[in-house]
Amino acid sequence: MSALQAWKYLHVLMFVFWVGTDMGVMLSARKSTDSRLPLDARVTLLKMALVIELLPRTMWAMALPFGVMLSRELGLLAISDAAVAGIWVFTIAWALVSLGGAHWSEKPVGQRLAAINRWIIGILGVTLVGVGLWSYFGQGPFTTGWLAAKVALYGLINLTVLGIEASFIPVGPAFGRLFTEGSTPAVEGALSRGMSVTMFWVYTSYILILIVGLVGIARPAAI
C-alpha cells in the first residue's frame, strides 16, 4: 500500500467513525429527553451518549492532519515537514484538551478544558474559513478551487460544532434539576428546548459533512 492509498483509507475511516458514531450520540442524547422513560433509563442513555461521543470528537480533530497529509500526497499542498509536524502537535494537544473537557465535564478542570476547547474550535473555524476563501478568491495556499472550498467548509463545520457545544451547556443543569425536582413541565421544557437547539446544529453539521465528502469525491471543476 502506497502512502497515498494509506491516507485515503484513513480519510475514509475518519468520516465513517465521525458521522456514524455521532449519529449514535445524537439518537441516545435525544431519547434521553423522552419524559415517558423512567429516570434510570434516561440517565443510562445520556451516559452512553457521552461515552460514545469521545470517538467522533477525536475523529473530527483528526480530519485536520489527515486532510493535510492527503492533500500533500496528492501534490495539492506545498507544505514543509516542520509545518506538518506542527499541525500534528497542535491536533494531538487539541484532541487531549477536547477529550479532557468531555471526560471530566462535571469537575472544574473539565469545565476549564471545555472552555479552552471552545476557544480553539472558534479560532480554528474562523481561520480555516478565512484561508479557504483567501485561497479560492486570492493567493492562499490551496490553488485548487474544490480543495479551497473543502477547507472553508471544514472550518464552517468547526463553527457548527461550536454551536453544538454551546447549545448543549444548558442541558446539563436541566438534567441536574430533573434529578432533584423530578419530571415537571418546567424541567422537561428546559430539556426539550436545549436539545432542540443542539439538534439544529447537529443536523447542520451533518449536511456540511455530506457536502464536504461530495466535493472531495467529485472534485467539480466548476468550483
Side-chain angles (χ1 to χ4, degrees), residues 26 28 50 66 69 72 80 100 104 116 131 133 135 147 152 173 177 210 213:
M26 181 267 291
S28 298
L50 294 176
F66 285 1
M69 298 305 297
R72 189 190 198 193
S80 67
W104 292 301
I116 294 171
V131 170
L133 293 176
S135 298
L147 183 57
R177 290 178 59 194
L210 289 173

PDB file of all heavy atoms in Angstrom, residues 26 28 50 66 69 72 80 100 104 116 131 133 135 147 152 173 177 210 213:
ATOM      1  N   MET A  26     -26.245  11.261  18.881  1.00  0.00           N
ATOM      2  CA  MET A  26     -27.432  12.095  18.671  1.00  0.00           C
ATOM      3  C   MET A  26     -28.709  11.364  19.075  1.00  0.00           C
ATOM      4  O   MET A  26     -29.555  11.913  19.800  1.00  0.00           O
ATOM      5  CB  MET A  26     -27.500  12.520  17.207  1.00  0.00           C
ATOM      6  CG  MET A  26     -28.681  13.413  16.858  1.00  0.00           C
ATOM      7  SD  MET A  26     -30.121  12.469  16.256  1.00  0.00           S
ATOM      8  CE  MET A  26     -29.517  11.898  14.666  1.00  0.00           C
ATOM      9  N   SER A  28     -29.083   8.713  21.072  1.00  0.00           N
ATOM     10  CA  SER A  28     -29.123   8.411  22.512  1.00  0.00           C
ATOM     11  C   SER A  28     -29.434   9.662  23.324  1.00  0.00           C
ATOM     12  O   SER A  28     -30.254   9.630  24.247  1.00  0.00           O
ATOM     13  CB  SER A  28     -27.777   7.817  22.958  1.00  0.00           C
ATOM     14  OG  SER A  28     -27.513   6.608  22.296  1.00  0.00           O
ATOM     15  N   LEU A  50     -22.550  10.240  26.074  1.00  0.00           N
ATOM     16  CA  LEU A  50     -21.338  10.976  26.416  1.00  0.00           C
ATOM     17  C   LEU A  50     -20.079  10.125  26.229  1.00  0.00           C
ATOM     18  O   LEU A  50     -19.015  10.647  25.893  1.00  0.00           O
ATOM     19  CB  LEU A  50     -21.419  11.487  27.858  1.00  0.00           C
ATOM     20  CG  LEU A  50     -22.502  12.549  28.110  1.00  0.00           C
ATOM     21  CD1 LEU A  50     -22.569  12.915  29.588  1.00  0.00           C
ATOM     22  CD2 LEU A  50     -22.255  13.794  27.257  1.00  0.00           C
ATOM     23  N   PHE A  66      -5.231  14.595   8.779  1.00  0.00           N
ATOM     24  CA  PHE A  66      -5.486  13.621   7.711  1.00  0.00           C
ATOM     25  C   PHE A  66      -5.678  14.347   6.381  1.00  0.00           C
ATOM     26  O   PHE A  66      -5.179  13.916   5.347  1.00  0.00           O
ATOM     27  CB  PHE A  66      -6.722  12.786   8.032  1.00  0.00           C
ATOM     28  CG  PHE A  66      -6.511  11.732   9.087  1.00  0.00           C
ATOM     29  CD1 PHE A  66      -5.290  11.584   9.709  1.00  0.00           C
ATOM     30  CD2 PHE A  66      -7.550  10.893   9.460  1.00  0.00           C
ATOM     31  CE1 PHE A  66      -5.092  10.624  10.692  1.00  0.00           C
ATOM     32  CE2 PHE A  66      -7.370   9.925  10.426  1.00  0.00           C
ATOM     33  CZ  PHE A  66      -6.135   9.786  11.047  1.00  0.00           C
ATOM     34  N   MET A  69      -2.285  15.665   5.151  1.00  0.00           N
ATOM     35  CA  MET A  69      -1.433  14.597   4.630  1.00  0.00           C
ATOM     36  C   MET A  69      -1.924  14.113   3.273  1.00  0.00           C
ATOM     37  O   MET A  69      -1.119  13.874   2.358  1.00  0.00           O
ATOM     38  CB  MET A  69      -1.384  13.436   5.621  1.00  0.00           C
ATOM     39  CG  MET A  69      -0.803  13.777   6.977  1.00  0.00           C
ATOM     40  SD  MET A  69       0.854  14.508   6.919  1.00  0.00           S
ATOM     41  CE  MET A  69       1.804  13.169   6.187  1.00  0.00           C
ATOM     42  N   ARG A  72      -1.173  16.703   0.651  1.00  0.00           N
ATOM     43  CA  ARG A  72       0.262  16.709   0.350  1.00  0.00           C
ATOM     44  C   ARG A  72       0.628  15.561  -0.585  1.00  0.00           C
ATOM     45  O   ARG A  72       1.371  15.748  -1.550  1.00  0.00           O
ATOM     46  CB  ARG A  72       1.042  16.596   1.660  1.00  0.00           C
ATOM     47  CG  ARG A  72       2.542  16.796   1.519  1.00  0.00           C
ATOM     48  CD  ARG A  72       3.234  16.428   2.806  1.00  0.00           C
ATOM     49  NE  ARG A  72       4.575  16.969   2.885  1.00  0.00           N
ATOM     50  CZ  ARG A  72       5.478  16.589   3.783  1.00  0.00           C
ATOM     51  NH1 ARG A  72       5.152  15.681   4.684  1.00  0.00           N
ATOM     52  NH2 ARG A  72       6.684  17.118   3.797  1.00  0.00           N
ATOM     53  N   SER A  80       5.985  22.232   4.311  1.00  0.00           N
ATOM     54  CA  SER A  80       7.244  21.677   4.809  1.00  0.00           C
ATOM     55  C   SER A  80       6.995  20.614   5.869  1.00  0.00           C
ATOM     56  O   SER A  80       5.912  20.536   6.460  1.00  0.00           O
ATOM     57  CB  SER A  80       8.100  22.798   5.408  1.00  0.00           C
ATOM     58  OG  SER A  80       7.484  23.317   6.581  1.00  0.00           O
ATOM     59  N   GLY A 100     -10.316  15.709  27.456  1.00  0.00           N
ATOM     60  CA  GLY A 100     -10.267  16.000  28.886  1.00  0.00           C
ATOM     61  C   GLY A 100     -11.484  16.775  29.346  1.00  0.00           C
ATOM     62  O   GLY A 100     -12.063  16.496  30.402  1.00  0.00           O
ATOM     63  N   TRP A 104     -13.950  14.900  32.077  1.00  0.00           N
ATOM     64  CA  TRP A 104     -14.095  15.494  33.409  1.00  0.00           C
ATOM     65  C   TRP A 104     -15.107  16.631  33.392  1.00  0.00           C
ATOM     66  O   TRP A 104     -14.923  17.656  34.057  1.00  0.00           O
ATOM     67  CB  TRP A 104     -12.734  16.002  33.899  1.00  0.00           C
ATOM     68  CG  TRP A 104     -11.758  14.898  34.170  1.00  0.00           C
ATOM     69  CD1 TRP A 104     -11.901  13.864  35.039  1.00  0.00           C
ATOM     70  CD2 TRP A 104     -10.470  14.726  33.566  1.00  0.00           C
ATOM     71  NE1 TRP A 104     -10.789  13.049  35.015  1.00  0.00           N
ATOM     72  CE2 TRP A 104      -9.890  13.553  34.127  1.00  0.00           C
ATOM     73  CE3 TRP A 104      -9.747  15.449  32.608  1.00  0.00           C
ATOM     74  CZ2 TRP A 104      -8.624  13.094  33.748  1.00  0.00           C
ATOM     75  CZ3 TRP A 104      -8.492  14.996  32.219  1.00  0.00           C
ATOM     76  CH2 TRP A 104      -7.948  13.829  32.794  1.00  0.00           C
ATOM     77  N   ILE A 116     -11.555  26.193  27.092  1.00  0.00           N
ATOM     78  CA  ILE A 116     -10.398  26.340  26.201  1.00  0.00           C
ATOM     79  C   ILE A 116     -10.699  25.704  24.844  1.00  0.00           C
ATOM     80  O   ILE A 116     -10.375  26.262  23.791  1.00  0.00           O
ATOM     81  CB  ILE A 116      -9.144  25.697  26.833  1.00  0.00           C
ATOM     82  CG1 ILE A 116      -8.731  26.452  28.095  1.00  0.00           C
ATOM     83  CG2 ILE A 116      -7.990  25.654  25.831  1.00  0.00           C
ATOM     84  CD1 ILE A 116      -7.651  25.762  28.895  1.00  0.00           C
ATOM     85  N   VAL A 131      -8.846  31.110   5.391  1.00  0.00           N
ATOM     86  CA  VAL A 131      -7.816  30.563   4.496  1.00  0.00           C
ATOM     87  C   VAL A 131      -8.448  29.960   3.248  1.00  0.00           C
ATOM     88  O   VAL A 131      -7.942  30.127   2.132  1.00  0.00           O
ATOM     89  CB  VAL A 131      -6.963  29.506   5.237  1.00  0.00           C
ATOM     90  CG1 VAL A 131      -6.063  28.757   4.258  1.00  0.00           C
ATOM     91  CG2 VAL A 131      -6.123  30.165   6.316  1.00  0.00           C
ATOM     92  N   LEU A 133     -11.370  30.763   1.843  1.00  0.00           N
ATOM     93  CA  LEU A 133     -11.865  31.845   0.976  1.00  0.00           C
ATOM     94  C   LEU A 133     -10.711  32.621   0.339  1.00  0.00           C
ATOM     95  O   LEU A 133     -10.785  33.020  -0.831  1.00  0.00           O
ATOM     96  CB  LEU A 133     -12.758  32.788   1.785  1.00  0.00           C
ATOM     97  CG  LEU A 133     -14.077  32.189   2.276  1.00  0.00           C
ATOM     98  CD1 LEU A 133     -14.823  33.195   3.149  1.00  0.00           C
ATOM     99  CD2 LEU A 133     -14.954  31.756   1.102  1.00  0.00           C
ATOM    100  N   SER A 135      -7.829  31.379  -0.406  1.00  0.00           N
ATOM    101  CA  SER A 135      -7.301  30.523  -1.464  1.00  0.00           C
ATOM    102  C   SER A 135      -8.225  30.521  -2.679  1.00  0.00           C
ATOM    103  O   SER A 135      -7.760  30.510  -3.829  1.00  0.00           O
ATOM    104  CB  SER A 135      -7.132  29.091  -0.947  1.00  0.00           C
ATOM    105  OG  SER A 135      -6.213  29.032   0.118  1.00  0.00           O
ATOM    106  N   LEU A 147     -10.609  22.181  -3.500  1.00  0.00           N
ATOM    107  CA  LEU A 147      -9.922  21.950  -2.232  1.00  0.00           C
ATOM    108  C   LEU A 147     -10.049  23.164  -1.316  1.00  0.00           C
ATOM    109  O   LEU A 147     -10.248  23.021  -0.104  1.00  0.00           O
ATOM    110  CB  LEU A 147      -8.451  21.625  -2.477  1.00  0.00           C
ATOM    111  CG  LEU A 147      -7.622  21.277  -1.234  1.00  0.00           C
ATOM    112  CD1 LEU A 147      -8.242  20.103  -0.477  1.00  0.00           C
ATOM    113  CD2 LEU A 147      -6.181  20.963  -1.620  1.00  0.00           C
ATOM    114  N   ALA A 152     -12.675  25.590   3.501  1.00  0.00           N
ATOM    115  CA  ALA A 152     -13.608  26.571   4.072  1.00  0.00           C
ATOM    116  C   ALA A 152     -14.806  25.879   4.711  1.00  0.00           C
ATOM    117  O   ALA A 152     -15.271  26.290   5.781  1.00  0.00           O
ATOM    118  CB  ALA A 152     -14.070  27.533   2.977  1.00  0.00           C
ATOM    119  N   PRO A 173     -27.397  21.329  33.408  1.00  0.00           N
ATOM    120  CA  PRO A 173     -28.150  21.803  34.570  1.00  0.00           C
ATOM    121  C   PRO A 173     -29.615  21.364  34.552  1.00  0.00           C
ATOM    122  O   PRO A 173     -30.203  21.114  35.613  1.00  0.00           O
ATOM    123  CB  PRO A 173     -28.038  23.327  34.467  1.00  0.00           C
ATOM    124  CG  PRO A 173     -26.785  23.565  33.716  1.00  0.00           C
ATOM    125  CD  PRO A 173     -26.695  22.437  32.736  1.00  0.00           C
ATOM    126  N   ARG A 177     -31.584  19.377  37.485  1.00  0.00           N
ATOM    127  CA  ARG A 177     -32.903  19.696  38.055  1.00  0.00           C
ATOM    128  C   ARG A 177     -33.829  18.489  37.992  1.00  0.00           C
ATOM    129  O   ARG A 177     -34.651  18.280  38.887  1.00  0.00           O
ATOM    130  CB  ARG A 177     -33.517  20.867  37.291  1.00  0.00           C
ATOM    131  CG  ARG A 177     -32.841  22.208  37.521  1.00  0.00           C
ATOM    132  CD  ARG A 177     -33.500  23.296  36.686  1.00  0.00           C
ATOM    133  NE  ARG A 177     -34.924  23.429  37.019  1.00  0.00           N
ATOM    134  CZ  ARG A 177     -35.797  24.098  36.274  1.00  0.00           C
ATOM    135  NH1 ARG A 177     -35.400  24.672  35.137  1.00  0.00           N
ATOM    136  NH2 ARG A 177     -37.068  24.199  36.642  1.00  0.00           N
ATOM    137  N   LEU A 210     -21.684  15.993   4.606  1.00  0.00           N
ATOM    138  CA  LEU A 210     -22.069  15.334   3.355  1.00  0.00           C
ATOM    139  C   LEU A 210     -21.586  16.139   2.144  1.00  0.00           C
ATOM    140  O   LEU A 210     -21.116  15.565   1.150  1.00  0.00           O
ATOM    141  CB  LEU A 210     -23.589  15.161   3.299  1.00  0.00           C
ATOM    142  CG  LEU A 210     -24.184  14.121   4.257  1.00  0.00           C
ATOM    143  CD1 LEU A 210     -25.708  14.178   4.208  1.00  0.00           C
ATOM    144  CD2 LEU A 210     -23.703  12.721   3.893  1.00  0.00           C
ATOM    145  N   GLY A 213     -17.779  15.716   1.808  1.00  0.00           N
ATOM    146  CA  GLY A 213     -17.473  14.424   1.216  1.00  0.00           C
ATOM    147  C   GLY A 213     -17.731  14.403  -0.279  1.00  0.00           C
ATOM    148  O   GLY A 213     -16.932  13.868  -1.059  1.00  0.00           O
TER     149      GLY A 213
END
